[in-house]
Amino acid sequence: MRKKCKYPCGPGLALLAASIFLVTAHVTATPVKKFDLDRFIEPDTCGGCHWEIQEQWTHSMHNLSHKDPVYNRVAKFLRRGLVVAGEIEEAESCVKCHTPVGVITGFPEKLSDDLSKTPEIATQGIQCDYCHSAVDTTRMYNNGLVLAPGHGEDDPGVKQGPFDDSEPDFHEAAFSKLHQSSMICGTCHNVKHVAFGTDLETTYTEWENSPYNDPDPEKQVTCQGCHMYQRPGIPATGSTERPKNPGTAAEDSVERDHIFTHYFVGANTGVTGARDKQKMAEERLQNAAQISLNTQQLAKKQLDVMVLNSGAGHSIPTGVGDLRQVWLEISIRDAHQKLVFQSGFLDAKKELSDDTIIFRTVLGDGSGNRVVNLAKAKQVLSDTRIPAKQKVTQTIALDFIPEKGSVIVARLLYRGMPQKILNMIPGDPISPLPVVEMARVSQTL
Ligand code: HEC
Ligand code: HEC
Ligand code: HEC
Ligand code: HEC
Ligand code: HEC
């Protein structure tokens, strides 16, 4: 898929490298240690009183962000064979979001550090004391959180949260507008290439431009408004109820009309390993989109399939949009159940053929050629994802007119990553990622 020598091989190299350094200096700052490690408190300690919240967060992708085997394998794969400074810098930058407590306390500083030496607390990913020490953001991409942590268990300091009347005795508490805003999520859920500035993930921007970002705070649905209302059986999407979750925030504390849940479930059904969390991700995916057919033009050998993003507060898919695969699987059987048309079926190698209708972003090298390695991405070549609340129509040209009694079935399917990319990753083969049916429609002619 990748051509040889896609990256500067000619005389332009020196010039390009120089300009990359310029941009580099502009977009990123080398991670610097800001705090001693012992200022952060283990999630287990917080869980002593907030055990329900801790249980929800355990095995979430936030808890697993450093250990996630898919992330780790992809990250190592990206770093191989890079020579251009800006590309290397990007490939080293992952730890800033995936191991944030490590970066802010001095180790690891970059991905190629010996990650086996990562302090135990930092291996626990995006955790309680990290988020609840946040007091500000410097930018809405590449993790611009500003922290004000306490001084460890003896002097835990102020934990920022949604209550303005909280008086716990272990730690101090303060009301934080930031925690009620999508911005606390958005600063990590927008990812830009550190040297080239390419938009690699734009979840926050997609939300910001969506109808969910209502100027009226009463009507606005923040990231938390969906993702921190979800619990088993209650997917809390844009197309389902988002009922309050009454209860207590800590053991023996006052009853509140809503306690924000901490499952942080997205679409990942493959990594968490905990069945209840996989099930919740399935429930989220199954309440994200609707699919419908228009058979009016069949006499002209044309079938229209419509997909509506009815439940996500951002595009479908979002996040690593160059890896995620949301696609249409379509079949037509004639009146005798004989298969006469199919598209988007996985082959024996779990791969999809090139003519499959896939909703995704494709990254390019700056000259219009596709790149798989995001460290080399200088442009977004195309973006066919479905924006929030929008409906897209895909027209399929048939080479026959389906007879009366034929059955058309269309399914919208999700998986985390193409098998082709999984296969490129060196080392033990990674088993195929699960496929989840997001929506389905069938019609008999
Ligand atoms: C990704 C950031 C993040 C992480 C990690 C996180 N929280 Fe929270 N937490 C929040 C936000 C944001 C809110 C408030 C949401 C709002 O007001 O919209 C919150 C709310 C709370 C509250 C107030 C009660 C409630 O749930 O409404 C407590 C207590 C709390 N978190 C404890 C914890 C503990 C304990 C952990 C670790 C097990 C943890 N949090 C992990 C972001 C986080
Ligand atoms: C000894 C018990 C205890 C421990 C340990 C503990 N908390 Fe709390 N925390 C409480 C109580 C009690 C409340 C008050 C709940 C309420 O007001 O409804 C609270 C409230 C909070 C709030 C809400 C603050 C607000 O104003 O909105 C946050 C956030 C929070 N804790 C985070 C943490 C974090 C992070 C840790 C670990 C570093 C932690 N807590 C450890 C008992 C504890
Ligand atoms: C410090 C950076 C950071 C902050 C702050 C943060 N996230 Fe995340 N989040 C991540 C990373 C990194 C991952 C992916 C981990 C992985 O898959 O290996 C992630 C994963 C997720 C997922 C799971 C995605 C999936 O595919 O299943 C959801 C949902 C999510 N975050 C929501 C939120 C919400 C809501 C907030 C704000 C309350 C938030 N995040 C704040 C960095 C962050
Ligand atoms: C209206 C409800 C809603 C809001 C608001 C919302 N989401 Fe989501 N989110 C969903 C649904 C439904 C899915 C599953 C479909 C999908 O993957 O897009 C999802 C999936 C995700 C995923 C996993 C994406 C993937 O395919 O790997 C992440 C990460 C995420 N959301 C983060 C966020 C962040 C950050 C915000 C705020 C900027 C946010 N969400 C706002 C409903 C919402
Ligand atoms: C600015 C914060 C940030 C940085 C820096 C970052 N990521 Fe992420 N990463 C995220 C968020 C947020 C998600 C969750 C989005 C989703 O689920 O689609 C994520 C998810 C992923 C996933 C999907 C994991 C899975 O289990 O499916 C991979 C792979 C990944 N990142 C690789 C990387 C690599 C490699 C780097 C460094 C080159 C990197 N990330 C740097 C924020 C970041």
Side-chain angles (χ1 to χ4, degrees):
M1 208 178 302
R2 273 181 301 160
K3 290 192 209 114
K4 282 213 180 87
C5 203
K6 185 158 281 180
Y7 241 73
C9 323
L13 178 61
L15 220 150
L16 195 87
S19 66
I20 288 165
F21 274 120
L22 275 178
V23 189
T24 301
H26 181 227
V27 184
T28 68
T30 322
V32 281
K33 171 176 161 167
K34 294 235 176 74
F35 302 108
D36 287 335
L37 187 67
D38 61 12
R39 292 185 64 174
F40 287 89
I41 299 171
E42 293 269 353
D44 267 351
T45 305
C46 311
C49 301
H50 302 291
W51 60 269
E52 248 174 300
I53 291 176
Q54 189 199 12
E55 214 167 79
Q56 295 168 355
W57 166 85
T58 303
H59 303 305
S60 70
M61 291 317 298
H62 281 163
N63 179 196
L64 297 175
S65 62
H66 169 84
K67 294 178 185 156
D68 176 357
V70 175
Y71 152 70
N72 276 288
R73 296 281 295 270
V74 169
K76 285 199 188 100
F77 161 65
L78 293 190
R79 226 174 56 229
R80 291 201 162 189
L82 294 181
V83 288
V84 176
E87 296 174 3
I88 295 170
E89 201 184 344
E90 169 61 23
E92 292 283 26
S93 74
C94 322
V95 287
K96 201 173 169 64
C97 295
H98 286 264
T99 318
V101 171
V103 169
I104 204 151
T105 56
F107 190 89
E109 290 184 325
K110 52 187 192 311
L111 194 86
S112 61
D113 286 343
D114 180 357
L115 295 185
S116 68
K117 298 208 169 80
T118 306
E120 154 57 29
I121 183 169
T123 65
Q124 298 191 48
I126 300 150
Q127 48 194 279
C128 321
D129 213 10
Y130 185 80
C131 282
H132 287 290
S133 298
V135 288
D136 203 356
T137 52
T138 53
R139 53 171 186 265
M140 249 335 103
Y141 59 90
N142 290 5
N143 191 358
L145 283 181
V146 177
L147 302 197
H151 290 86
E153 292 187 21
D154 295 339
D155 177 12
V158 185
K159 305 306 162 209
Q160 312 285 331
F163 308 138
D164 58 8
D165 59 350
S166 204
E167 288 178 343
D169 24 340
F170 175 67
H171 57 77
E172 292 170 64
F175 168 75
S176 162
K177 240 179 138 63
L178 176 64
H179 284 71
Q180 297 190 316
S181 152
S182 289
M183 290 169 77
I184 195 172
C185 319
T187 188
C188 292
H189 283 266
N190 260 359
V191 188
K192 273 187 196 296
H193 193 293
V194 292
F196 308 151
T198 320
D199 285 320
L200 301 172
E201 287 184 35
T202 53
T203 305
Y204 176 75
T205 309
E206 294 154 23
W207 171 84
E208 200 181 17
N209 297 331
S210 80
Y212 294 100
N213 181 18
D214 198 294
D216 178 354
E218 291 292 309
K219 290 192 195 137
Q220 190 180 97
V221 186
T222 56
C223 315
Q224 296 89 321
C226 288
H227 289 280
M228 297 184 78
Y229 275 68
Q230 182 167 12
R231 48 229 196 241
I234 301 176
T237 68
S239 57
T240 59
E241 297 273 294
R242 298 184 295 274
K244 287 197 188 309
N245 175 43
T248 60
E251 191 91 37
D252 298 330
S253 64
V254 292
E255 185 80 17
R256 307 259 184 191
D257 62 344
H258 179 66
I259 300 298
F260 289 90
T261 61
H262 282 66
Y263 293 101
F264 298 113
V265 167
N268 201 316
T269 59
V271 174
T272 80
R275 182 59 200 142
D276 57 330
K277 279 159 198 174
Q278 291 170 358
K279 179 111 198 308
M280 285 170 66
E282 285 162 15
E283 286 174 352
R284 178 153 285 276
L285 284 168
Q286 286 156 359
N287 289 285
Q290 281 154 27
I291 185 168
S292 53
L293 300 174
N294 179 351
T295 52
Q296 305 287 315
Q297 305 296 324
L298 274 184
K300 292 186 191 152
K301 303 182 186 169
Q302 181 182 317
L303 172 68
D304 288 338
V305 184
M306 278 79 65
V307 183
L308 169 69
N309 176 347
S310 54
H314 36 66
S315 297
I316 292 180
T318 190
V320 285
D322 58 316
L323 293 180
R324 304 298 186 222
Q325 285 192 309
V326 172
W327 78 96
L328 283 174
E329 184 205 80
I330 302 160
S331 68
I332 305 178
R333 286 175 187 277
D334 68 13
H336 309 284
Q337 277 104 53
K338 189 175 153 246
L339 192 64
V340 286
F341 175 85
Q342 64 171 24
S343 168
F345 279 76
L346 292 173
D347 66 17
K349 289 196 252 155
K350 302 274 182 212
E351 289 177 10
L352 289 166
S353 71
D354 290 340
D355 55 6
T356 304
I357 299 167
I358 304 183
F359 305 100
R360 56 172 303 182
T361 55
V362 177
L363 301 172
D365 65 353
S367 311
N369 305 304
R370 186 182 164 198
V371 287
V372 173
N373 187 337
L374 61 82
K376 292 172 181 259
K378 290 194 155 176
Q379 63 186 150
V380 178
L381 280 179
S382 63
D383 181 356
T384 54
R385 297 171 307 155
I386 311 156
K389 297 255 193 193
Q390 289 192 28
K391 190 186 227 177
V392 298
T393 300
Q394 294 289 334
T395 298
I396 290 119
L398 302 171
D399 55 9
F400 64 101
I401 300 172
E403 64 185 23
K404 200 171 162 22
S406 297
V407 180
I408 306 176
V409 178
R411 303 202 298 155
L412 187 71
L413 301 176
Y414 178 100
R415 70 175 172 182
M417 209 177 286
Q419 189 63 34
K420 268 186 200 149
I421 294 190
L422 283 183
N423 293 346
M424 281 181 197
I425 298 175
D428 297 337
I430 302 176
S431 44
L433 295 176
V435 174
V436 178
E437 181 183 275
M438 296 178 71
R440 175 198 186 94
V441 64
S442 76
Q443 190 176 330
T444 306
L445 299 176

